[in-house]
Amino acid sequence: MGGAGSNLAALLERGVGVELVVSHRAGVGALAIARAHRVPAAVLLPSRYPSREAYGEALRQAFDDAAIDAVAMAGFLRWLDAETVQAYRGRIFNVHPSLLPAFPGLHAIRQALAYGVRWTGVTVHLVDEGQDTGPVVAQEPVPVEPADTEESLAARIHAVEHRLYGDVLQAFERQRFFVSGRRAIWRP
Ligand code: GRF
C-alpha cells in the first residue's frame, strides 16, 4: 500500500512475498511496479465509499480474498479504520521517516529540519488506532548534515527505509520477533 512505490520496489527486490498491492490513488508508481512484477494490484478509492468503515470493509475483503498474512503500509496510514486495525492487529506494519515518537504525522522530514535536530531516522512500527503510535519494531538513526535540504535528507532516509523495512518483514516471515505490550522482543 503506498504511493511512489520505492518501498514496494525494495521489498520485491529483497524477495519479500507480496500477494497484493492496494493503492488509495490511481496512476501511482506502486501500481506500475506491481504490474512489472506481476503482483495483483487493486485501486480502492476512498471517495467511492460512503464512510471510512465501508472503506475498511472493502479493504478487509481484498485482504481476505488474497489470504494475506500481514499488511505493510507506506504512505497509506490515514485510510485505515479501527475494525481493520483490530482484525489485523500485530500484523499491520508502517514505515515512518523519523525516530518516533518525534515528528509523527505528515512531513516528518520537513518537521525534523525545521526543528533543527542533529539526528532523525526511520521507524518501522506496528499500527494501532493512533497516528504513528503503535509498538516500535525497529529504528535506525540518520544524521542531519548542516547543508541538508529536504531532498537530500529524504534521499538518505529513504535508503534506510528500504533496507530496514525489508529486514523487519523478512524477520516477521521467519518469526524472528514477537511483540509483548509495547515492546518488540527479538529472538537471538
Ligand atoms: C515513505 O517515505 C514512508 O516513510 C512514508 O510514505 C513514504 C512512501 O514512499 N510513510 P514510497 O511510496 O514507498 O516511495
Side-chain angles (χ1 to χ4, degrees):
M1 298 171 141
S6 67
N7 279 287
L8 172 64
L11 296 180
L12 287 166
E13 271 156 37
R14 282 274 296 253
V16 173
V18 180
E19 310 295 336
L20 173 69
V21 171
V22 177
S23 173
H24 62 82
R25 289 193 297 163
V28 293
L31 294 166
I33 291 165
R35 257 196 313 278
H37 284 83
R38 302 190 197 295
V39 174
V43 177
L44 295 181
L45 297 175
S47 58
R48 294 272 171 84
Y49 297 84
S51 63
R52 184 175 283 222
E53 290 65 36
Y55 188 68
E57 217 173 297
L59 274 178
R60 292 195 302 281
Q61 188 66 58
F63 295 167
D64 291 349
D65 289 348
I68 60 162
D69 296 318
V71 179
M73 300 200 296
F76 197 91
L77 193 54
R78 65 209 143 112
W79 304 108
L80 273 199
D81 65 306
E83 201 172 329
T84 304
V85 170
Q86 177 60 27
Y88 283 84
R89 192 177 298 283
R91 299 186 289 150
I92 308 179
F93 295 88
N94 184 48
V95 63
H96 185 79
S98 75
L99 293 176
L100 289 170
F103 312 125
L106 291 176
H107 309 304
I109 298 170
R110 193 180 306 165
Q111 290 183 55
L113 275 175
Y115 196 93
V117 290
R118 304 294 291 262
W119 291 87
T120 182
V122 172
T123 302
V124 178
H125 65 94
L126 285 165
V127 171
D128 66 6
E129 284 76 3
Q131 189 184 34
D132 300 324
T133 52
V136 169
V137 180
Q139 287 185 307
E140 188 169 313
V142 173
V144 181
E145 306 294 350
D148 261 337
T149 60
E150 205 174 320
E151 290 68 37
S152 64
L153 182 55
R156 283 208 306 291
I157 286 181
H158 286 147
V160 173
E161 284 186 356
H162 299 160
R163 178 167 39 73
L164 198 66
Y165 213 5
D167 287 348
V168 167
L169 293 171
Q170 282 185 335
F172 177 80
E173 284 175 338
R174 295 169 190 157
Q175 303 188 348
R176 293 268 333 281
F177 64 84
F178 63 95
V179 175
S180 165
R182 286 204 53 88
R183 291 211 167 188
I185 316 286
W186 286 76
R187 300 181 208 278

